């Protein structure tokens, strides 16, 4: 079954425990945690201490998306802090193979993320090694941006490619601009995991938002 991962970037950060509880009760699958460093992306968000606190209260796996330079220096602390999935960007890894191996050695899922303007070809030699590919459907850095329509074609091409290579177990996660209205289209293109920040936390009734998004992708 396809997964929905609400991004806490759009949650009330002063009440994270109750925000997480609400989406967990509403049927979310993972909690998506956006880590930004003000260098790789033009914004700063949260780090290891918040992941540690989330781990205490979240009944759901923590899906940690590192939008940071030199991610290799932070695999250890985020894994120890409680990440269940750790995703790094292909654009910042000089030694991606080593970073992915490091994440997997921690006994957690390893993902590689790719920006809208980065060609899928840059993943060719790493696809066999990862648990998931995170396709960015906005330029990373902020919640609440518009879904880039060309992402659908990219998701379809990736899906076909994985199939051709017998790598159907590699999940496709899509992140950015996903709302109730376009969730079906994104799922149909081949997304296995839908990240949604403002599309869920931006609505007053998060459980209702999740129910409607789930219904849309069924
Ligand atoms: C963007 C982040 C996303 C963001 C998505 O840089 O990686 O996870 O929270 O937010 P929405 O769903 O509002 O586009
Ligand atoms: Zn994200």
């Amino acid at each position: 079954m396809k997964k929905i991962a609400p991004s806490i970037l759009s949650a009330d950060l002063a009440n994270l425990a109750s925000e997480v509880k609400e989406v967990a009760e509403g049927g979310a699958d993972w909690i998506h945690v956006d880590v930004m460093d003000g260098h790789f992306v033009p914004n700063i968000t949260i780090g290891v201490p918040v992941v540690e606190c989330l781990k205490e209260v979240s009944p759901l796996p923590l899906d940690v998306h590192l939008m940071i330079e030199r991610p290799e220096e932070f695999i250890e602390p985020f894994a120890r802090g409680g990440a269940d999935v750790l995703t790094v960007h292909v654009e910042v890894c000089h030694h991606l193979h080593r970073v992915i191996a490091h994440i997997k050695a921690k006994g957690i899922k390893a993902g590689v993320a790719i920006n809208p303007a980065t060609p899928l070809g840059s993943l060719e030699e790493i696809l066999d090694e990862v648990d998931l590919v995170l396709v960015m459907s906005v330029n990373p850095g902020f919640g609440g941006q518009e879904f880039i329509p060309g992402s659908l074609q990219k998701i379809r091409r990736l899906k076909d490619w994985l199939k051709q290579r017998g790598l159907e177990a590699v999940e496709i996660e899509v992140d950015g601009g996903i709302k109730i209205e376009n969730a079906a289209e994104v799922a149909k293109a081949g997304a296995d995991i839908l990240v949604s920040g403002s599309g869920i936390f931006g609505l007053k009734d998060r459980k209702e938002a999740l129910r409607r998004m789930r219904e849309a992708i069924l």
Side-chain angles (χ1 to χ4, degrees):
M1 200 171 70
K2 295 189 188 286
K3 299 184 185 78
I4 300 177
S7 163
I8 57 162
L9 188 58
S10 294
D12 176 359
L13 295 175
N15 290 294
L16 261 189
S18 63
E19 295 282 73
V20 165
K21 186 167 174 268
E22 192 174 354
V23 292
E25 286 173 2
D29 298 283
W30 287 355
I31 298 295
H32 186 81
V33 183
D34 288 306
V35 177
M36 304 186 187
D37 67 350
H39 293 281
F40 177 56
V41 290
N43 196 6
I44 297 177
T45 54
I46 58 181
V48 176
V50 176
V51 169
E52 285 170 350
C53 291
L54 279 169
K55 195 66 187 171
E56 297 286 314
V57 299
S58 176
L60 300 178
L62 300 180
D63 173 31
V64 178
H65 177 191
L66 297 183
M67 284 159 279
I68 63 174
E69 288 181 0
R70 293 180 285 106
E72 61 277 5
E73 294 176 17
F74 297 91
I75 303 308
E76 184 76 38
F78 277 105
R80 207 173 338 109
D84 296 281
V85 183
L86 204 43
T87 297
V88 296
H89 269 261
V90 62
E91 296 86 3
V92 289
C93 286
H94 294 301
H95 305 287
L96 183 58
H97 188 278
R98 180 185 287 150
V99 177
I100 294 295
H102 190 183
I103 297 172
K104 291 203 297 190
K106 295 285 151 199
I108 59 179
K109 280 186 194 267
V112 62
I114 178 167
N115 279 342
T118 305
L120 276 183
S122 61
L123 301 179
E124 177 148 20
E125 311 299 333
I126 202 69
L127 280 186
D128 302 50
E129 306 292 334
V130 297
D131 295 298
L132 68 85
V133 176
L134 190 164
V135 175
M136 286 304 306
S137 42
V138 298
N139 288 292
F142 303 93
Q145 304 181 78
E146 284 282 306
F147 185 89
I148 297 172
S151 312
L152 289 173
Q153 196 48 33
K154 198 174 191 181
I155 299 162
R156 282 186 208 112
R157 279 194 290 130
L158 176 59
K159 193 75 176 178
D160 286 348
W161 200 18
L162 289 171
K163 204 167 165 191
Q164 281 165 22
R165 290 183 53 173
L167 294 171
E168 286 96 339
V170 175
E171 293 184 286
I172 300 180
E173 180 169 25
V174 182
D175 185 4
I178 299 179
K179 314 259 185 233
I180 295 162
E181 294 73 23
N182 63 359
E185 216 178 1
V186 179
K188 206 166 147 229
D192 302 295
I193 306 151
L194 280 76
V195 176
S196 180
S198 53
I200 291 173
F201 285 110
L203 305 187
K204 233 191 167 73
D205 188 343
R206 286 72 188 270
K207 289 183 192 166
E208 173 67 5
L210 276 161
R211 193 192 59 72
R212 289 178 55 202
M213 192 172 285
R214 178 76 65 196
E215 195 177 80
I217 63 173
L218 273 181

